[in-house]
Amino acid sequence: MVDDEMLARARLRTLLAECASPAAAVAGEAAHAGQALEWLAANRCDVVLLDIHMPGLDGVELARRLRAQDDPPAIVFVTAHAEHALQAFELDAVDYLTKPVRRDRLQAALQRVATRVRPPAAAAPPTGGDADAGVLLVNDLGRRIRVPVSDVLYLKAELKYVTLRTATHTHVLDDSLTDLEQRLGPRFLRVHRNALVARGAMQALERRLVPGDGADDVAEGWAVRVGPVGEWLTVSRRQVAAVKDAIAEGGL
């Protein structure tokens, strides 16, 4: 957790100890972004509970730097200021909690983190929304059309929108990738911070040249081939085992 207020960190520790499902433990603490970056350079964690207003680098900029990494932890903002919520979700934050934090809200945020870090092998379909009916609504030349979820190969975050790919078409969605992940459930796997792939569409996992942190950078890393289009999408190190399992199982 990263917060310049010692009492705020103490309260979060107490609330975390009271959260039973999923259980969570504090791996490290930092009073400002510099300490957090130093700790994260040498340690791994699943989620960072992050304040926004701190001395020096603020929490939004710290989240932006973490998101640029190959395999960043999930981010849950914990702040007294509600006005940064839009920026937070543009950075793909899992949740945005306002102080004083309630235990039920913290536990709900941890459950979302657990779903992202380790998607369940099987789960009942979520309720509410078009995805429950087996379709996603997309804009196409001014029209609203229904795309069957069974036709979707992958969804990829591109700057301020999400690209939906089927075998024959590419569509643009205004939804956030985090929201789509929650709605679509275990049929899709988060292979990277910017991509959800249908488990049944994964055909192969290989070491390849993949995009790096910079606009023109490339580096060797893991990638999954998506059929039937044959496109390759970057896989984060954290999700390599899950992708291997999905390919071995042939989808859900």
Side-chain angles (χ1 to χ4, degrees), residues 66-242:
L66 293 178
R67 189 172 184 269
Q69 296 177 0
D70 176 60
D71 191 17
I75 298 292
V76 172
F77 283 100
V78 183
T79 177
H81 305 275
E83 66 268 20
H84 300 285
L86 180 59
Q87 277 183 292
F89 289 111
E90 286 177 348
L91 291 168
D92 203 22
V94 174
D95 212 334
Y96 191 95
L97 308 182
T98 53
K99 299 176 181 177
V101 178
R102 304 195 316 271
R103 183 180 61 185
D104 61 327
R105 282 290 289 116
L106 178 59
Q107 182 140 342
L110 294 176
Q111 288 169 345
R112 293 189 182 96
V113 171
T115 299
R116 175 178 296 191
V117 172
R118 186 168 299 176
T127 58
D130 295 308
D132 303 339
V135 299
L136 288 173
L137 292 178
V138 302
N139 293 312
D140 184 70
L141 299 177
R143 300 176 300 154
R144 293 282 280 174
I145 63 176
R146 296 160 66 88
V147 176
V149 172
S150 58
D151 290 349
V152 179
L153 302 176
Y154 68 78
L155 299 119
K156 185 177 180 182
E158 307 273 4
L159 297 177
K160 294 185 178 180
Y161 59 87
V162 171
T163 297
L164 181 155
R165 187 73 164 94
T166 70
T168 56
H169 292 88
T170 299
H171 302 284
V172 173
L173 297 175
D174 294 328
D175 310 61
S176 74
L177 204 62
T178 299
D179 180 55
L180 288 164
E181 182 179 20
Q182 296 291 326
R183 290 162 56 196
L184 292 170
R187 188 187 303 186
F188 288 77
L189 177 66
R190 173 83 72 140
V191 301
H192 193 265
R193 66 173 181 269
N194 69 349
L196 293 170
V197 180
R199 291 173 180 266
M202 299 180 192
Q203 293 186 335
L205 179 70
E206 295 181 8
R207 297 282 293 181
R208 298 174 63 88
L209 290 179
V210 298
D213 293 337
D216 300 318
D217 294 345
V218 293
E220 184 176 332
W222 289 101
V224 61
R225 188 175 72 230
V226 181
V229 292
E231 297 179 19
W232 292 88
L233 297 180
T234 303
V235 176
S236 69
R237 291 191 301 271
R238 186 195 299 270
Q239 291 300 86
V240 167

Side-chain angles (χ1 to χ4, degrees), residues 25-47:
V26 177
E29 297 185 23
H32 53 77
Q35 284 184 352
L37 288 170
E38 183 177 352
W39 189 90
L40 288 166
N43 300 275
R44 292 178 61 85
C45 64
D46 292 325
V47 58

